[in-house]
């Protein structure tokens, strides 16, 4: 049975840190130090573990921020291999949405890699979040094995928590005639491993298309059945 619960003690936080470090392993580094995580949780940040029975299989971390207004910023969510692609990411996000709403936050933001299809589909379709900005090479070079060697472009997402419930979007079957479509590769993670040059080509093409579209005042209105961002 899957259970999501808040993690308060140092021992509980340690297990969450091990989840993060196992998903994003980096030599001689940790994703977040124990003293910083303890300080942030003690000060009101969001940290939950996802448990399958007694075993922790995932974790999520978010913290309050004030730019451009007071809201919750979701920084990391990760699962061990055996529990990925099982819908747990959606469950955690819905738990986070309710947690933020109960504490008076009016929105949640987070970033994701614009080339990862499953994340785009989750954020735009299942959660109904709004894509509000494109950030080229946001984190700089990342030392973990999953991202090392790639430029860390990110899209910023804003998710309204003032409604009664989140509103999912339907997949766009027939984009408007004047819509701009930005297509994504099949599996950028595998391409990054097998063909770094092609991965960088996709990165720069998607980046250029997004920056040009946003500069022209276009916004993402959905995600198509052919795995394309739909902008108008």
């Amino acid at each position: 049975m899957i259970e999501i619960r808040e993690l308060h003690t140092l021992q509980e936080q340690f297990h969450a840190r091990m989840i993060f470090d196992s998903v994003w392993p980096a030599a001689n580094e940790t994703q977040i130090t124990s003293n910083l995580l303890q300080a942030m949780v003690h000060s009101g940040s969001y940290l939950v573990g996802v448990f399958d029975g007694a075993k922790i299989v995932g974790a999520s971390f978010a913290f309050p921020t004030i730019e451009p207004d007071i809201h919750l910023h979701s920084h990391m969510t990760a699962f061990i291999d055996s529990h990925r692609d099982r819908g747990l990411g959606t469950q955690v996000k819905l738990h986070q949405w309710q947690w933020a709403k109960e504490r008076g936050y009016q929105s949640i933001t987070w970033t994701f890699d614009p080339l990862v299809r499953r994340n785009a589909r989750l954020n735009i379709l299942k959660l109904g979040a709004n894509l509000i900005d494109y950030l080229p090479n946001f984190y700089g070079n990342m030392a973990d094995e999953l991202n090392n060697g790639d430029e860390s472009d990110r899209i910023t997402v804003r998710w309204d928590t003032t409604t009664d419930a989140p509103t999912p979007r339907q997949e766009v079957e027939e984009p408007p005639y004047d819509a701009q479509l930005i297509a994504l590769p099949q599996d950028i993670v595998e391409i990054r491993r097998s063909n770094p040059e092609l991965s960088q080509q996709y990165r720069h093409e998607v980046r250029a298309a997004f920056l040009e579209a946003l500069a022209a005042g276009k916004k993402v209105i959905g995600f198509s059945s052919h795995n394309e961002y739909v902008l108008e």
Side-chain angles (χ1 to χ4, degrees):
M1 179 178 178
I2 298 296
E3 180 186 5
I4 301 171
R5 63 174 184 259
E6 293 183 54
L7 307 177
H8 297 288
T9 70
L10 288 171
Q11 185 61 39
E12 289 173 335
Q13 294 168 25
F14 170 81
H15 291 300
R17 290 180 59 235
M18 293 304 98
I19 293 288
F20 297 142
D21 287 345
S22 69
V23 172
W24 297 292
N28 303 316
E29 289 193 16
T30 181
Q31 290 298 316
I32 185 167
T33 61
S34 59
N35 60 327
L36 179 59
L37 188 58
Q38 164 70 347
M40 297 190 76
V41 171
H42 181 73
S43 301
S45 293
Y46 172 94
L47 180 67
V48 299
V50 182
F51 293 83
D52 189 348
K55 181 181 180 181
I56 186 169
V57 298
S60 183
F61 171 56
F63 53 84
T65 185
I66 61 172
E67 292 293 339
D69 50 28
I70 297 174
H71 64 278
L72 189 70
H73 183 76
S74 181
H75 182 53
M76 291 187 291
T77 301
F79 300 93
I80 63 174
D81 287 344
S82 61
H83 284 69
R84 291 177 190 162
D85 301 319
R86 292 175 52 176
L88 298 182
T90 302
Q91 291 184 43
V92 168
K93 278 299 180 191
L94 293 174
H95 181 278
Q96 194 176 82
W97 189 92
Q98 189 63 39
W99 188 95
K101 183 178 180 64
E102 290 172 356
R103 285 157 180 79
Y105 293 106
Q106 296 191 346
S107 66
I108 305 171
T109 62
W110 63 92
T111 64
F112 74 96
D113 186 336
L115 294 183
V116 180
R117 282 185 178 187
R118 64 179 180 274
N119 289 347
R121 298 185 71 87
L122 168 65
N123 296 328
I124 299 171
L125 300 179
K126 287 188 177 181
L127 303 180
N130 295 312
L131 279 58
I132 61 173
D133 201 3
Y134 190 100
L135 307 169
N137 204 22
F138 181 57
Y139 294 112
N141 182 53
M142 302 175 72
D144 66 274
E145 294 177 9
L146 189 62
N147 294 288
N148 191 26
D150 193 7
E151 296 176 68
S152 55
D153 288 26
R154 294 294 183 267
I155 283 179
T156 305
V157 169
R158 182 184 181 277
W159 201 21
D160 184 16
T161 56
T162 63
T163 57
D164 292 335
T167 305
R169 288 187 180 91
Q170 294 297 315
E171 193 175 60
V172 177
E173 296 289 347
E174 296 184 9
Y177 76 94
D178 59 346
Q180 179 176 346
L181 305 177
I182 301 178
L184 294 185
Q186 178 68 30
D187 186 346
I188 193 61
V189 176
E190 179 56 35
I191 294 172
R192 187 185 295 147
R193 293 192 189 103
S194 61
N195 192 336
E197 290 185 0
L198 180 59
S199 174
Q200 286 300 297
Q201 179 180 329
Y202 281 124
R203 174 73 64 203
H204 294 153
E205 287 176 355
V206 170
R207 177 193 296 172
F210 255 109
L211 293 179
E212 181 180 357
L214 295 178
K218 297 179 181 180
K219 295 182 179 180
V220 175
I221 62 167
F223 200 72
S224 82
S225 54
H226 298 291
N227 293 297
E228 303 155 317
Y229 294 100
V230 183
L231 299 91
E232 277 200 311

